[in-house]
Amino acid sequence: MKSPVIVTGGSRGLGLSITRALLEEGYAVATCSRTLGDALPGLMAAHPDSLFWQVADIGDATSTQAFVKAAVQRFGPPWGLVNNAGIAREGILATLPLVEVDSLIQTNLTGAIQMARGVLRHMLSRPGGGRIINISSIIGQRGYTGLAAYAATKAGLDGLTRALAREVGRRQITVNSVAPGYLDTEMSDTLSAGQREQIVRRTPMARLGTAGDIVPAVLFLLGDGARFITGQTITIDGGITC
Ligand SMILES: NC(=O)c1ccc[n+]([C@@H]2O[C@H](COP(=O)([O-])OP(=O)(O)OC[C@H]3O[C@@H](n4cnc5c(N)ncnc54)[C@H](OP(=O)(O)O)[C@@H]3O)[C@@H](O)[C@H]2O)c1
C-alpha cells in the first residue's frame, strides 16, 4: 500500500473522483463529509483496508480535529492532504445573508486552514516530506457576478498556498493549488442554461470541465515527479482564463 492521503469532501463530485483514483493508484485514503452519500459504501466495501470515512464538518474545528486524529490512528502520519471540500452560495453580495457569508468562509477557507494546520503537525513528523493540495477555483482569480464571497475564499486559498509553501519548503513539503474552471458536478447544478451556454461559448475547448479533467493534476502533484513544484496555482479550465 502506498502512503496515506487525506481528502476532504470525498462523498461526491471531484472529491469522490480523487478518492477513487487514489485508491486505484494504491494510496490509502481517509476522507470525510457531512453525509455518507451514495457512492462511498460500495467503495469502502471494495477497499476495506485502504479507505476510511468519518462524518465531519470541516467548518467545525472540533469535528475537523476528531477526523484528523481518527485518520492518523487508522493509517499513520499522512503523506498528502487534498483540501477539496467546499460549498458555493450564489447571491448578490449586498443582499447575501451574513450567515451565508460566514458559512462560506468557515467551510472553504477556515476549514482548509484548520485541516492544513492539523495535518501538518503529523506530516512534519514523517521523514521525506509531504504534499498539500488546495482545490481553489478560477472564480478566485477572475471573479463571477453573484460569487463574491465564494471568490474571496478561493483567492484566500491561493494565498494560503503561497505562504505555506514558504513555511514548510525546507521540510520537503510542497503546497500547491489546483484551480478548476466550471465543472459538471452537483455544485454547478445552480447554473442556468443561459449561464452554461455562455461558459461554453467563452471556453476555447467549448465545454464545461469534468472531475476527470482535474484528477490527473492532483495525482501528479502527489507524486515524486512534482517534488520541486511548490507555491503554484495550476489552472485547469479549458482555456477560459487564457
Ligand atoms: N463544480 C465546479 O464548477 C467547481 C469549479 C471550481 C472549483 N470547485 C471546487 O472543487 C471542490 C469540489 O467541488 P464539487 O464540484 O465536487 O462539489 P460538490 O459536488 O458539491 O461536492 C462537495 C463535497 O464536499 C463535501 N462538503 C461540503 N461541505 C462540507 C463540510 N462543511 N464538511 C465536510 N465536507 C463538506 C460534500 O459532502 P457533504 O455535503 O455530505 O458534506 C461533498 O463531498 C470545491 O472546493 C469547489 O469549490 C468546483
Side-chain angles (χ1 to χ4, degrees):
M1 192 186 297
K2 273 193 190 171
S3 318
V5 177
I6 293 180
V7 180
T8 62
S11 63
R12 58 189 150 82
L14 179 57
L16 176 62
S17 295
I18 292 170
T19 297
R20 269 207 188 99
L22 288 175
L23 291 168
E24 277 163 23
E25 290 287 315
Y27 289 96
V29 181
T31 190
C32 68
S33 46
R34 292 164 302 175
T35 56
L36 182 57
D38 298 335
L40 280 180
L43 211 52
M44 285 196 282
H47 300 272
D49 299 328
S50 51
L51 177 57
F52 169 76
W53 172 85
Q54 180 165 303
V55 67
D57 180 346
I58 58 154
D60 177 88
T62 310
S63 181
T64 301
Q65 280 162 12
F67 166 60
V68 172
K69 190 175 173 197
V72 171
Q73 266 168 4
R74 178 71 192 269
F75 293 131
W79 159 252
L81 165 65
V82 184
N83 265 324
N84 163 81
I87 53 171
R89 294 282 180 272
E90 217 180 326
I92 300 304
L93 189 63
T95 54
L96 191 68
L98 203 50
V99 63
E100 299 279 7
V101 175
D102 284 344
S103 164
L104 275 165
I105 294 171
Q106 197 62 32
T107 304
N108 293 5
L109 190 54
T110 310
I113 293 172
Q114 268 162 1
M115 280 301 301
R117 185 174 174 274
V119 167
L120 265 172
R121 292 170 175 217
H122 301 283
M123 205 179 259
L124 284 165
S125 73
R126 242 186 100 93
R131 303 278 194 269
I132 296 177
I133 299 166
N134 295 315
I135 305 295
S136 59
S137 168
I138 59 165
I139 306 292
Q141 303 167 10
R142 298 298 174 99
Y144 196 85
T145 298
L147 289 175
Y150 175 81
T153 65
K154 293 301 183 176
L157 277 183
D158 289 346
L160 168 70
T161 288
R162 288 188 288 271
L164 194 55
R166 291 183 182 275
E167 209 168 290
V168 296
R170 277 181 192 279
R171 304 297 295 269
Q172 306 309 307
I173 295 172
T174 69
V175 188
N176 291 287
S177 288
V178 170
Y182 304 91
L183 301 179
D184 223 342
T185 64
E186 261 180 55
M187 188 176 273
S188 41
D189 278 353
T190 54
L191 288 173
S192 68
Q195 283 173 315
R196 274 176 182 262
E197 271 168 32
Q198 188 189 53
I199 291 164
V200 169
R201 211 169 42 243
R202 291 181 179 174
T203 303
M205 301 199 74
R207 63 171 174 85
L208 265 71
T210 65
D213 295 324
I214 310 303
V215 168
V218 174
L219 290 179
F220 170 67
L221 287 171
L222 283 169
D224 189 52
R227 61 188 174 272
F228 203 51
I229 301 173
T230 196
Q232 304 304 309
T233 296
I234 299 178
T235 300
I236 306 171
D237 66 352
I240 196 169
T241 58
C242 74

Coordinates of all heavy atoms in Angstrom, one line a residue, residues 108-109 112-113 133-142 151-165 175-180 230-235:
N108 N -14.9 27.0 3.4 CA -14.0 26.9 2.3 C -12.6 27.4 2.7 O -11.6 26.9 2.2 CB -14.4 27.9 1.2 CG -15.7 27.3 0.5 OD1 -16.3 26.3 0.9 ND2 -16.1 28.0 -0.6
L109 N -12.5 28.3 3.7 CA -11.2 28.9 4.0 C -10.7 28.5 5.4 O -9.7 27.8 5.5 CB -11.3 30.4 3.9 CG -9.9 31.2 4.0 CD1 -8.9 30.6 3.0 CD2 -10.1 32.7 3.8
A112 N -10.2 24.8 5.5 CA -9.0 24.3 4.9 C -7.7 24.7 5.7 O -6.8 23.9 5.7 CB -8.9 24.9 3.5
I113 N -7.7 25.8 6.3 CA -6.6 26.2 7.1 C -6.5 25.3 8.3 O -5.4 24.8 8.6 CB -6.7 27.7 7.5 CG1 -6.6 28.7 6.3 CG2 -5.6 28.1 8.6 CD1 -6.9 30.1 6.6
I133 N -2.5 19.9 -1.2 CA -3.1 20.5 -2.4 C -4.4 21.1 -2.0 O -5.3 20.5 -1.4 CB -3.3 19.3 -3.4 CG1 -2.0 18.7 -3.8 CG2 -4.1 19.8 -4.7 CD1 -2.1 17.3 -4.5
N134 N -4.5 22.4 -2.4 CA -5.8 23.1 -2.1 C -6.6 23.3 -3.4 O -6.0 23.8 -4.4 CB -5.4 24.5 -1.6 CG -4.7 24.4 -0.2 OD1 -5.2 23.7 0.7 ND2 -3.7 25.2 0.0
I135 N -7.8 22.8 -3.4 CA -8.6 23.0 -4.6 C -9.3 24.4 -4.5 O -10.2 24.6 -3.7 CB -9.7 21.9 -4.7 CG1 -9.1 20.5 -4.6 CG2 -10.6 22.1 -6.0 CD1 -8.2 20.1 -5.7
S136 N -8.7 25.3 -5.3 CA -9.3 26.6 -5.3 C -10.3 26.7 -6.5 O -11.1 25.8 -6.8 CB -8.2 27.7 -5.3 OG -7.3 27.6 -6.4
S137 N -10.2 27.8 -7.3 CA -11.1 28.0 -8.4 C -10.7 29.2 -9.3 O -10.1 30.1 -8.7 CB -12.5 28.2 -7.9 OG -13.4 28.6 -8.9
I138 N -11.0 29.1 -10.5 CA -10.8 30.3 -11.4 C -11.6 31.5 -10.9 O -11.3 32.6 -11.2 CB -11.0 30.0 -12.9 CG1 -12.5 29.6 -13.1 CG2 -10.0 29.0 -13.4 CD1 -12.9 29.7 -14.6
I139 N -12.7 31.2 -10.2 CA -13.5 32.3 -9.7 C -12.7 33.2 -8.7 O -12.9 34.4 -8.7 CB -14.8 31.8 -8.9 CG1 -15.6 30.8 -9.8 CG2 -15.7 32.9 -8.4 CD1 -16.3 31.4 -11.0
G140 N -11.8 32.6 -8.0 CA -10.9 33.4 -7.1 C -9.9 34.2 -7.9 O -9.3 35.2 -7.4
Q141 N -9.6 33.9 -9.2 CA -8.7 34.7 -10.0 C -9.4 35.8 -10.8 O -9.0 36.9 -10.9 CB -8.0 33.8 -11.0 CG -7.2 32.6 -10.3 CD -6.8 31.6 -11.4 OE1 -6.9 31.8 -12.6 NE2 -6.3 30.4 -10.9
R142 N -10.6 35.4 -11.3 CA -11.3 36.3 -12.3 C -12.6 36.8 -11.8 O -13.1 37.8 -12.4 CB -11.5 35.5 -13.6 CG -10.3 35.1 -14.3 CD -9.4 36.3 -14.7 NE -8.1 35.9 -15.2 CZ -7.9 35.8 -16.5 NH1 -8.8 36.1 -17.4 NH2 -6.7 35.4 -16.9
A151 N -15.6 33.7 -4.2 CA -14.3 34.1 -4.8 C -13.3 34.5 -3.8 O -12.1 34.1 -3.9 CB -14.6 35.3 -5.8
A152 N -13.7 35.2 -2.7 CA -12.8 35.6 -1.7 C -12.2 34.4 -1.0 O -11.0 34.4 -0.7 CB -13.5 36.5 -0.7
T153 N -13.0 33.4 -0.8 CA -12.5 32.2 -0.1 C -11.5 31.5 -1.0 O -10.5 31.0 -0.5 CB -13.6 31.2 0.3 OG1 -14.2 30.7 -0.9 CG2 -14.6 31.9 1.2
K154 N -11.7 31.5 -2.3 CA -10.8 30.7 -3.2 C -9.5 31.5 -3.4 O -8.5 30.9 -3.5 CB -11.6 30.4 -4.5 CG -12.7 29.5 -4.3 CD -12.2 28.1 -3.7 CE -13.3 27.1 -3.6 NZ -12.8 25.8 -3.1
A155 N -9.6 32.8 -3.5 CA -8.4 33.6 -3.6 C -7.6 33.5 -2.3 O -6.4 33.4 -2.3 CB -8.8 35.1 -3.8
G156 N -8.3 33.4 -1.2 CA -7.7 33.2 0.1 C -6.9 31.8 0.1 O -5.8 31.8 0.6
L157 N -7.5 30.8 -0.5 CA -6.8 29.5 -0.5 C -5.5 29.6 -1.3 O -4.5 29.0 -1.0 CB -7.7 28.5 -1.2 CG -8.7 27.8 -0.4 CD1 -9.4 26.7 -1.2 CD2 -8.1 27.1 0.8
D158 N -5.5 30.4 -2.4 CA -4.3 30.6 -3.2 C -3.2 31.3 -2.4 O -2.0 31.0 -2.5 CB -4.6 31.3 -4.6 CG -5.3 30.4 -5.5 OD1 -5.4 29.2 -5.3 OD2 -5.9 30.9 -6.5
G159 N -3.6 32.3 -1.6 CA -2.7 33.0 -0.7 C -2.1 32.0 0.3 O -0.9 32.0 0.6
L160 N -3.0 31.2 0.9 CA -2.5 30.2 1.8 C -1.5 29.3 1.2 O -0.4 29.0 1.8 CB -3.7 29.3 2.3 CG -3.4 28.0 3.0 CD1 -2.9 28.3 4.4 CD2 -4.7 27.1 3.2
T161 N -1.7 28.9 -0.1 CA -0.8 28.0 -0.8 C 0.6 28.7 -0.9 O 1.6 28.0 -0.5 CB -1.3 27.7 -2.2 OG1 -2.4 26.9 -2.1 CG2 -0.3 27.2 -3.1
R162 N 0.6 29.9 -1.3 CA 1.9 30.6 -1.5 C 2.7 30.8 -0.1 O 3.9 30.5 -0.1 CB 1.7 31.9 -2.2 CG 1.4 31.8 -3.6 CD 1.4 33.1 -4.3 NE 0.3 34.0 -3.9 CZ -0.9 34.0 -4.5 NH1 -1.2 33.2 -5.5 NH2 -1.9 34.8 -4.1
A163 N 2.0 31.2 0.9 CA 2.6 31.5 2.2 C 3.1 30.2 2.9 O 4.2 30.1 3.4 CB 1.7 32.3 3.1
L164 N 2.2 29.2 2.8 CA 2.5 27.9 3.5 C 3.7 27.2 2.8 O 4.5 26.5 3.4 CB 1.3 27.0 3.6 CG 1.3 25.8 4.5 CD1 1.7 26.3 6.0 CD2 0.0 25.1 4.5
A165 N 3.7 27.4 1.4 CA 4.8 26.7 0.7 C 6.2 27.3 1.2 O 7.1 26.5 1.3 CB 4.7 27.1 -0.8
V175 N 3.3 22.7 -1.3 CA 1.9 23.2 -1.1 C 1.5 23.8 -2.5 O 2.2 24.8 -2.9 CB 1.8 24.2 0.0 CG1 0.3 24.5 0.3 CG2 2.5 23.7 1.3
N176 N 0.5 23.3 -3.1 CA 0.0 23.9 -4.4 C -1.5 24.0 -4.4 O -2.2 23.2 -3.7 CB 0.5 23.0 -5.5 CG 2.0 23.1 -5.7 OD1 2.6 24.0 -6.2 ND2 2.7 22.0 -5.3
S177 N -2.0 24.9 -5.3 CA -3.4 24.9 -5.5 C -3.7 24.3 -6.9 O -2.9 24.5 -7.8 CB -3.9 26.4 -5.6 OG -3.9 27.0 -4.4
V178 N -4.8 23.7 -7.0 CA -5.4 23.3 -8.3 C -6.7 24.1 -8.5 O -7.6 24.1 -7.7 CB -5.7 21.8 -8.4 CG1 -6.4 21.5 -9.7 CG2 -4.4 21.0 -8.4
A179 N -6.7 25.0 -9.5 CA -7.9 25.9 -9.7 C -8.7 25.4 -11.0 O -8.3 25.7 -12.1 CB -7.4 27.3 -10.0
P180 N -9.8 24.7 -10.7 CA -10.6 24.2 -11.9 C -11.4 25.4 -12.4 O -11.7 26.3 -11.7 CB -11.5 23.2 -11.3 CG -11.0 22.9 -9.9 CD -10.2 24.1 -9.5
T230 N 6.3 24.0 -5.9 CA 5.6 24.4 -4.7 C 5.2 25.9 -4.8 O 5.8 26.6 -5.5 CB 6.4 24.1 -3.5 OG1 5.5 24.2 -2.3 CG2 7.6 25.1 -3.3
G231 N 4.1 26.2 -4.1 CA 3.6 27.6 -4.1 C 2.9 28.0 -5.4 O 2.6 29.2 -5.6
Q232 N 2.5 27.0 -6.2 CA 1.9 27.3 -7.5 C 0.4 27.1 -7.5 O -0.1 26.3 -6.7 CB 2.5 26.5 -8.6 CG 4.0 26.6 -8.7 CD 4.5 28.0 -8.8 OE1 4.1 28.7 -9.7 NE2 5.4 28.4 -8.0
T233 N -0.3 27.8 -8.4 CA -1.7 27.5 -8.7 C -1.8 27.0 -10.1 O -1.4 27.7 -11.1 CB -2.5 28.8 -8.6 OG1 -2.4 29.3 -7.2 CG2 -4.0 28.5 -8.9
I234 N -2.2 25.8 -10.3 CA -2.3 25.2 -11.6 C -3.8 25.3 -12.0 O -4.7 24.7 -11.4 CB -1.9 23.7 -11.6 CG1 -0.4 23.6 -11.1 CG2 -2.1 23.0 -12.9 CD1 0.1 22.2 -11.0
T235 N -4.0 26.1 -13.1 CA -5.3 26.4 -13.6 C -5.7 25.3 -14.6 O -5.0 25.1 -15.6 CB -5.4 27.8 -14.1 OG1 -5.1 28.7 -13.1 CG2 -6.8 28.1 -14.7

